[in-house]
Amino acid sequence: MFDPDFSFCPNCGSPQLSKLIPPDDNRERQVCGECQTIHYHNPRIIVGTVPFIDGEVLLCRRAIDPKKGKWNLPCGFLELGEDLKTGALRETEEEAGVHPQLAGLHTVYSVPELGQHFTIFAGRLSDKKMDPGHETLEAAFFRLEDIPWDEVAFRSNRFCLKALARDLEAGSLSTHFGVYPE
Ligand SMILES: [Zn+2]
């Protein structure tokens, strides 16, 4: 299980942190014995797009760990102050240098044990121009039947791409929900 506990209180720097169930709560939290701050650890949201045009999808080969060298959808952590669509477009611009038109929420894939939730929008491209950023070794278009599945970085990405393949075959986009490891 993912353990995000602090060694020092981020509020006052004290090492006097203990695990206890605060009054009116129902689960253990890290509480500072010095400044009494209760530290809540909440899940993180990953946003991105699955950019597609003419039955092909754009994937990026990761220049950074984890999974360096593997193919990935353009996605990353939502920033404070951003809405989901803005974050998805920012990550897509940063990693692939493309500007898709969002065509609806496509995949929500949760990995509870890591506290991560992937939120991927379908991104319709109007051309194949791209300009990958420094977190990307290269970007390339793949016909869905040619996707190198063993080289796709994360199960969330495989889930999304397989769902998109079914959607395009059926001729209409829909929204898909998945939970790791189901
Ligand atoms: Zn403190």
Side-chain angles (χ1 to χ4, degrees):
M1 180 69 185
F2 174 61
D3 183 1
D5 284 350
F6 298 120
S7 300
F8 298 92
C9 173
N11 187 48
C12 74
S14 168
Q16 289 180 49
L17 294 164
S18 45
K19 289 291 266 295
L20 53 90
I21 300 176
D24 300 322
D25 203 340
N26 56 15
R27 61 174 76 198
E28 278 195 338
R29 313 285 182 187
Q30 255 194 320
V31 180
C32 178
E34 194 72 35
C35 72
Q36 314 304 324
T37 300
I38 302 168
H39 297 289
Y40 297 94
H41 298 295
N42 297 106
R44 298 215 280 178
I45 295 172
I46 292 153
V47 287
T49 65
V50 53
F52 67 97
I53 180 171
D54 297 336
E56 297 186 353
V57 293
L58 180 61
L59 297 178
C60 299
R61 213 149 72 78
R62 296 172 62 81
I64 52 170
D65 276 320
K67 306 275 186 183
K68 186 175 174 179
K70 299 284 190 186
W71 294 94
N72 194 31
L73 293 166
C75 61
F77 289 108
L78 184 69
E79 297 284 0
L80 288 173
E82 269 181 343
D83 66 88
L84 295 170
K85 285 182 176 177
T86 303
L89 288 171
R90 174 185 52 73
E91 285 290 341
T92 303
E93 157 66 27
E94 284 175 7
E95 297 191 0
V98 298
H99 309 271
Q101 187 185 354
L102 297 187
L105 180 60
H106 187 264
T107 293
V108 177
Y109 189 89
S110 291
V111 188
E113 67 186 52
L114 292 179
Q116 295 184 354
H117 303 271
F118 291 79
T119 307
I120 304 294
F121 292 87
R124 209 182 289 280
L125 295 171
S126 54
D127 59 54
K128 287 189 164 185
K129 280 187 232 133
M130 56 170 142
D131 181 19
H134 68 278
E135 292 184 2
T136 303
L137 292 172
E138 61 175 319
F141 285 91
F142 290 91
R143 288 152 52 92
L144 287 154
E145 57 269 34
D146 295 335
I147 289 174
W149 294 107
D150 293 341
E151 297 295 310
V152 174
F154 301 104
R155 197 186 292 222
S156 55
N157 284 235
R158 290 195 289 275
F159 178 89
C160 175
L161 290 163
K162 287 187 169 161
L164 183 73
R166 290 196 304 273
D167 281 358
L168 294 181
E169 198 169 328
S172 71
L173 294 170
S174 53
T175 306
H176 307 266
F177 296 89
V179 179
Y180 181 88
E182 291 166 22

